[in-house]
Amino acid sequence: MVTLSHRGICVSDIETSARFYQDALGFEPYQDHGVIEGPDMEKTMQLPGVRLRAVMLKRADGPVIELLQFLAPAATGPREKRSTLQYGLVHISFYVDDIDAWAARIREAGGKVYEETRAYFAGNDTTMLYCTDPDGVRVELMKAPGEAERFSHSGICVQDIDVSLRYYEALGFTAAENYVLDQGLDWLGVINEVPGIKLRAQMVRDSMGNTVELLKVFEPDSFGSRERQPLNRFGLTHLAFWDDEPEKTSAALSERGGYFVKEAHVKTPQIELLHGADPDGVRIELMRPVSG
């Protein structure tokens, strides 16, 4: 059995980010792992001399995030709003009852609000707005009739939806809503800050209700590396899963366009860890608790 555990985020200051996600987005303290270091962590993270703080937060509606602050080696990369055309993890998304109230909380908690991205889709009476956390992670706010205030999904920009769909099926996800938006719609260009953008958004969902948006952009071309990035790179870093049979799952995922790194496979007295990537370079972590 495979179940989504959490979404990882590399941050510059763990206290600042913890306050943001609690005050602005409704997460609550869940687990504090303190300082993590040692040979096993160096091996599985593939970072010599690694030393980091790790704090997990959880919303009442289920989703868990892991905030990682790297003390050594220092984190790298931009702390800016990522383009929705860039391959890999793009954003986290929420349905809200009051966009302006959420935007105000985000500003007050140290995030940014991009009013120029506010868009309205008359077809289903939905308003959307992009914001970012203190390190530039995209936070999408959506207000739609009949949708209760809740966490909605994580977004991934992919090269081939059929390939990605088959991959995530091996992690317990199945195809759900499918939106083909290939007419160069004005509102879609506004929210993505890409006039004339054409795309397909395929939602996939597991039995627990966890949802991932597979985003394929037809025009213009997507860009960026489709290689797995280091864990100490600012922004959304990985998706982690509990798995009763991680070696079996990793083999199935490797057959479906992903891969796992043999050298990063670690078994400690408490936990077994496998690290790899999906077909577009998104880091995937499989975890199995060791009995006893």
Side-chain angles (χ1 to χ4, degrees), residues 153-158 160-166 168-169 173-181 199-205 211-218:
H153 63 269
S154 306
I156 303 175
C157 181
V158 306
D160 188 314
I161 280 184
D162 292 334
V163 170
S164 294
L165 178 57
R166 185 167 179 265
Y168 282 93
E169 284 175 346
F173 291 84
T174 57
E177 300 86 1
N178 181 43
Y179 307 99
V180 179
L181 305 170
L199 58 84
R200 173 185 171 192
Q202 173 67 65
M203 315 304 283
V204 297
R205 189 169 294 118
T211 304
V212 172
E213 179 185 47
L214 304 177
L215 179 66
K216 165 63 181 177
V217 179
F218 301 127

Side-chain angles (χ1 to χ4, degrees), residues 58-76:
K58 184 176 183 178
R59 271 182 57 95
D61 52 359
V64 177
I65 58 172
E66 180 181 42
L67 303 179
L68 305 172
Q69 179 184 350
F70 283 84
L71 307 175
T76 62

